[in-house]
Every structure is written in structure tokens, then in C-alpha cells.
Amino acid sequence: MTIRLGVPSKGRLMDKTFDWFARRGIALSRTGSDREYAGAVDGVPGVELVLLSAGEIPRELLAGRIHMGVTGSDLVREGLANWDGAVSELTGMGFGQADLIIAVPRGWVDVDTLDDLDAVAAAFRARHGQRLRIATKYHRLVRDFLKEHGVADYLLVDSQGATEGAVRNRTAEAIADITSTGETLRANHLKILSDGLIHQSQATLFKSRKARWSDGDRQTFARLMRQIEG
Amino acid sequence: MTRPPDPGLDAEQGRILRLFIAAGAMPLDPPILQPAETLLDLYGEDIRGRAYTTRDPLGGEMMLRPDFTVPVVQGHIAAGSNPARYAYAGKVFRMQEAGIDRPSEFDQVGFEIFEAADPVAADAEVFALFAQVLAPLNLRAASGDIGVLTAAVRGLATSDARKAALGRHIWRPRRFRALLDRFGGKSPVPRERARLLKKCRDGVDVMAEAGPLVGLRQADEIAVRLAALQADAAEPAIPAAQVDLLDEILRLRDKAPSALNRLRDLAVDMPAIQGAVDRLAARLDALAARGVDVDAMDFEGSYGRTTMEYYDGFVFGFYAERRPDLPPVATGGRYDALTRALGGDAGVPAVGGVVRPALTLMLGGGG
């Protein structure tokens, strides 16, 4: 019985994933040409490597088409409603770290916390006749976070890329995006709210609760985890 | 899950609808699809976690109605004559959270009174009608009055800005509590806020310090808020006695006549709630005159705070005590602020409620 392990198919995420497994005695490799998404696993029998885009991995885990997968924890929490019921987090992998944060213009000297953001949103609406807009692609995470913290009177606008430019371009008044060094935010005259950390993301090894796990699969999984945990 | 049609449910829905029509209501058949923009504007982003959204290439984002309120109010504003009574029946659609075992689509039968002249009489008429329709089921009647809470907030010895902040969050208990703690001096001023205020006092040009300002929010708006923050810092804490009084209203949970007596006592210390308390007394009298057993009615000071943000007066619900796992069989209340939000000056004071025929059927209510 083979269990299917989904792994990002390109870039640093793929390289670091391969390194991470290699350091634990599991050699992953691409087979075929660069254009083919097939792979091989050496070190634990019964594991099949599937190369996918990092963005697709949450869906594949939910559908149970892969038994395990490596992807950003932010992508799982955003992409899957009730993510905890669909997958389980086996271990953070220590790379691909990025914080999902809420940022506002640095010029908003009167705003440092979510409380301030809420008060400003109310005043903004009264003054401008429209809700304060927050640009993000993380709709679920941002909405749940702001609801939990009692921020009302805002509107989310979708931004699939270059979110930091949204405020300058006047398509939003604030943003929620992932950041690692904060350089891009600074360059765009934005600052992070002191209590505006929504999620600390990193590359994470997930297990699908929805895949078919035979007894043989479970044995293979146990062997794989023993190898990983060293 | 696909089911065969349920003639029992249809009959029960029709039976309740006919009772509402007999009480003088005009039947309405509002559309299931609503423009998302209206609902978003009214309820904010929270609605996206509740209402199913779909896209119409020509009409833009649409939502399946999570309740009948918006279409009924809009229908009245567009075509209705004041006063008016309406009744309606049909499916509503609500996304449920993970792990919650409630249906995503279910039937409601509703009754609404739009009338400006005598709100207390209208409140009593709606409740008495529901009590009558539901009488065979021996349900527990719960009630509250958001108007008492809003009056209490207005009666606090503090700035208008603080009252407005509290008033905005009456429907968000956690945020309300956090604000009350801060304004009552129980939680400290955040460090960064204290640092900012000191700089302002020292005459530092904090805005120049921050560099270029990007986006729609203007420098003058920030200046206005800075001034407001400085004024707020000079504001004394809300007296502990008043915070305690507000807490007592929030915790109040008794049979209606006893609750009224307690509120009368509290009104001595906070005259601002006297008007709302008098209205409550008049409402209980009007209910009793219609044959409602007010001695058996529960009153809760917090009732209605965690529903959708629009009830702003009398609120009520009917519960099957022997089935605490079920949602309320019927709910309702006054929502004047919502009709104003949708219709501006054309907004008419309104009160109404809905019954779930699936529950009345389950509990044995077939006429």
C-alpha cells in the first residue's frame, strides 16, 4: 500500500522541503523532466511523492487524494473551513515563515491597536459615507480574527497580489497580508498594528483526516514518522 | 439530503400563515435572492459568515435571504401605506459553523407591524398574537428590552464620545465589556497610547514625525481624532456605582413583574432609564390586557444582544423547555433603527417576529 505525500512543486519551498526530508534520511527527488510533476521517495518504502502547487495542497488534503502534504499553515487555515476537522498538523518545518498581519498607514499616528482601528472605522464611515476597506486575499482568517476582536464597520476587498500597494492606490485604507521582514510594508509607508498578528505561518507537514487509511497505510505512516522524528 | 415533500410541514406553515392573516396581515412573497450590497451595508462583513453568496453576472453579488427582514422593510418603504401589517412564509438560508448540527435552510412564518402611532400597543399586539398561536405548546416566554440598555448607556456620567462608543457595541458583549472596563478605569491605558499622548502634550509634531501619509484618510481626520484622544484622556473614569448599575441591568434575570420592580429601583439612581422603564411597565399592562400571563414571562436584561445587530427595543423568544437542544421556536422584537437605516426618513417604526413551523410541528402543534 502506498501513501501519497504531496509536496510543493517549485521554488524555495520545494528545495527546503527536499532538504528537510533529506536531513531525516528520506531522499525525495523529481523523476522525469522538469516539466513533469512526478517524484520518488527513498528511505521509507510505500511512500509515493506527488508534486503539486502549494496552493492546491490544502484542497487535495481535504479531498483525501493525498495522505500527507507540505504547505503553508496560512493556506490551510484560509483555504479550508473547519481545517482542524479536515487535516491534522504533524509538525512545523521551520522554514517558509511569514506572519499574517494587519497594517495601516504609518501616518495614522492615532492608530496602534485593533481598538483604534475599530474607532477609526466608525469615524471613517461617518465622514466618507462608505466603510473602511481592508485589502487581503485571506478573507476567512481576517474576518474571523476581526469578529473575535470586535472590529466592525469595515469591508474586505479582494487582493490577490501586490496588496501593499492597495492603500497608495486608494483601493483600500488598510491591508492584511503576510510579511517576513517588514521591508515592503515600510517601503509603502505602512505599519503593523501592535495587536494585529493574525497568524504565524510556516511550512507545515499535514496529515489528511479525509484520506482512506488502510492498515498497511497506517504502518507506512508510523514508519515514516519514526524516521522523521529520529 | 433529498427528502420527499412533507405535506405536514406545508400544512403547518399554511395554518400559521392563515392565523397571521386573520390578525389583519397582508401576505407578502418576497424574493429569495437579495442584492448582497444592501445586506453587507447593513450588517457588515459578519454577514459573509452567515449568508450564502452567489454571483449574478449582470446584477453583481447576490445573497440567499438569511431572513425576511430586509425585503419586507424595503417592500413597505417602496409601496406600503402607513400603518401596515404583513405576513409571509418560506425558506431562509444560513451557513452554520463547523460542528453545529443545525439546518442550513429552514422555513419561517412571520408577522410584522409597521406603525408610528403607538409602539407599546404594537409590541403587545405582536407578542400576544405569537403567544396565542403557540399556546398549545406550553413554551417558555423570554423577553428583554434593548431600549433599557441604550438608555442606561446614555445616562452614564461621561463624555458623548464614550457613550457613542459603548452604544455602537451593545450587540458585542465582549467589546462592550472591554470598553466599559477601560472607561471605568479598570483596565490601564495602553502604553503606546500613553506615549502618544505625552508627545502631544509636549508639543511634538507627531504627524510630521510619521512621514508621508498614504490613502484616503486625510490628515485633518487624524488631527480630529488626536484631539478627541487627548480630551478622552482628561475624562474621569465612569463612577464605579454607575458601572455596577449597568452590570446589574445586564445580569437581570427574573419574572417580568419582579424585573420591572428592580428596574424602577435602579431608575432612582439613574433617572435616564425612567422613560424606558415606564415603557416596559406600559407594555406589561398592555400584554396583561390582551390576556398574556405576564407573571410567567421571563425578563432578561441582556436578551437580544447576540442576535443580528438590529433589535433596538422590545425583544422576545419562545422556547421548548423540555428540548434545550432546539433553537427557539419563535423570536422577534422591535427594529426601528433598521428601518431608518434602510429608508432614512421614510423608515417607519416596526416590530415583528417569526415562527419555525418545523419546530411547532415536531412539538405537536398541528391545529
Side-chain angles (χ1 to χ4, degrees), chain B:
Chain B
M1 191 167 87
T2 314
R3 284 177 262 255
D6 184 344
L9 181 57
D10 285 344
E12 179 68 354
Q13 184 165 297
R15 182 186 75 83
I16 298 171
L17 183 63
R18 277 192 302 278
L19 287 171
F20 287 164
I21 292 171
M26 186 171 92
L28 292 179
D29 186 18
I32 288 179
L33 284 173
Q34 294 292 307
E37 198 179 328
T38 312
L39 289 165
L40 278 168
D41 209 53
L42 209 44
Y43 300 121
E45 282 291 330
D46 282 357
I47 192 82
R48 284 198 194 276
R50 244 176 120 142
Y52 289 97
T53 311
T54 186
R55 171 149 265 117
D56 176 336
L58 294 176
E61 268 193 319
M62 304 291 282
M63 285 179 170
L64 300 186
R65 66 185 178 212
D67 59 41
F68 282 82
T69 310
V70 167
V72 168
V73 171
Q74 285 180 323
H76 174 76
I77 290 169
S81 60
N82 299 311
R85 281 162 179 67
Y86 301 111
Y88 49 83
K91 293 220 182 293
V92 295
F93 306 85
R94 305 209 185 148
M95 293 198 283
Q96 301 294 349
E97 281 165 40
I100 306 270
D101 187 23
R102 296 264 167 99
S104 318
E105 55 178 288
F106 59 92
D107 292 280
Q108 285 183 340
V109 187
F111 177 87
E112 315 289 333
I113 298 180
F114 286 74
E115 188 192 304
D118 193 344
V120 166
D123 289 350
E125 183 184 334
V126 167
F127 185 92
L129 175 61
F130 277 66
Q132 197 185 328
V133 167
L134 299 169
L137 301 180
N138 290 312
L139 303 175
R140 175 179 78 92
S143 66
D145 192 335
I146 304 274
V148 172
L149 275 178
T150 48
V153 166
R154 275 199 300 274
L156 293 172
T158 191
S159 66
D160 285 346
R162 286 186 167 189
K163 291 183 200 182
L166 286 167
R168 275 184 64 228
H169 289 297
I170 287 207
W171 299 271
R172 286 178 204 95
R174 259 179 70 178
R175 160 79 40 161
F176 186 86
R177 174 95 268 146
L179 285 174
L180 199 54
D181 283 348
R182 183 123 59 76
F183 298 158
K186 271 202 205 125
S187 52
V189 177
R191 204 175 323 137
E192 200 48 49
R193 169 80 67 88
R195 214 174 287 151
L196 173 73
L197 291 170
K198 180 168 191 310
K199 279 191 182 177
C200 289
R201 279 196 307 271
D202 292 346
V204 174
D205 187 349
V206 287
M207 282 172 52
E209 240 188 16
L213 174 65
V214 287
L216 259 184
R217 188 172 180 236
Q218 301 298 302
D220 69 293
E221 297 175 66
I222 299 170
V224 162
R225 183 146 185 275
L226 278 175
L229 289 181
Q230 292 180 78
D232 187 77
E235 187 70 28
I238 298 177
Q242 290 205 319
V243 174
D244 290 344
L245 193 147
L246 201 50
D247 275 337
E248 204 182 318
I249 296 175
L250 289 169
R251 279 195 316 260
L252 187 56
R253 221 189 155 119
D254 209 336
K255 292 299 175 192
S258 304
L260 175 61
N261 283 338
R262 190 58 196 135
L263 287 170
R264 282 201 198 289
D265 281 346
L266 295 175
V268 170
D269 291 325
M270 187 180 272
I273 68 171
Q274 189 65 57
V277 174
D278 288 342
R279 258 193 310 282
L280 175 59
R283 192 181 301 127
L284 292 179
D285 287 343
L287 285 168
R290 283 178 174 271
V292 173
D293 183 6
V294 295
D295 291 338
M297 260 179 85
D298 289 330
F299 181 94
E300 293 168 40
S302 271
Y303 198 81
R305 286 174 88 202
T306 50
T307 55
M308 307 264 265
E309 179 189 323
Y310 63 72
Y311 286 137
D312 54 2
F314 177 50
V315 272
F316 66 86
F318 287 86
Y319 297 80
E321 282 194 284
R322 59 196 179 284
R323 293 292 306 272
D325 56 305
L326 294 177
V329 178
T331 54
R334 176 163 290 282
Y335 50 99
D336 298 349
L338 185 143
T339 69
R340 269 196 311 273
L342 282 176
D345 289 335
V348 177
V351 58
V354 288
V355 179
R356 294 200 194 205
L359 294 182
T360 61
L361 193 59
M362 184 193 306
L363 294 165

Side-chain angles (χ1 to χ4, degrees), chain A residues 186-212:
Chain A
R186 271 190 289 279
N188 283 277
H189 311 295
L190 300 171
K191 65 176 178 182
I192 303 174
L193 293 183
S194 64
D195 55 357
L197 174 62
I198 298 176
H199 174 63
Q200 287 189 289
S201 181
Q202 63 172 316
T204 304
L205 180 61
F206 288 96
K207 176 185 181 201
S208 168
R209 296 189 200 270
K210 304 291 189 178
R212 284 253 227 79

Side-chain angles (χ1 to χ4, degrees), chain A residues 82 107 109-110 112 115-116 118 122 125 127-128 131 133 143 149-150 152-156 167 170 173, chain B residues 40-41 44-45 98 168-169 172 174-175 182 192-193 196 206 210 212 215-217 220-222 225:
Chain A
N82 187 27
V109 293
D110 62 323
D112 180 58
D115 268 7
D116 292 323
D118 178 63
R125 189 170 187 198
R127 161 74 172 260
H128 294 266
R131 284 178 196 265
R133 297 163 300 173
R143 198 168 48 239
H149 290 85
D153 273 342
Y154 69 95
L155 199 66
L156 291 182
V167 176
R170 307 215 158 176
E173 285 61 63
Chain B
L40 278 168
D41 209 53
E45 282 291 330
R168 275 184 64 228
H169 289 297
R172 286 178 204 95
R174 259 179 70 178
R175 160 79 40 161
R182 183 123 59 76
E192 200 48 49
R193 169 80 67 88
L196 173 73
V206 287
L216 259 184
R217 188 172 180 236
D220 69 293
E221 297 175 66
I222 299 170
R225 183 146 185 275

Side-chain angles (χ1 to χ4, degrees), chain A residues 131-185:
Chain A
R131 284 178 196 265
L132 182 148
R133 297 163 300 173
I134 304 178
T136 189
K137 71 179 198 193
Y138 297 90
H139 296 236
R140 192 197 315 279
L141 282 168
V142 175
R143 198 168 48 239
D144 288 350
F145 181 79
L146 292 177
K147 179 166 184 180
E148 195 188 323
H149 290 85
V151 178
D153 273 342
Y154 69 95
L155 199 66
L156 291 182
V157 298
D158 190 44
S159 169
Q160 289 297 328
T163 307
E164 306 86 358
V167 176
R168 190 183 53 244
N169 296 332
R170 307 215 158 176
T171 54
E173 285 61 63
I175 66 163
D177 201 12
I178 50 165
T179 182
S180 34
T181 61
E183 274 310 310
T184 324
L185 292 173

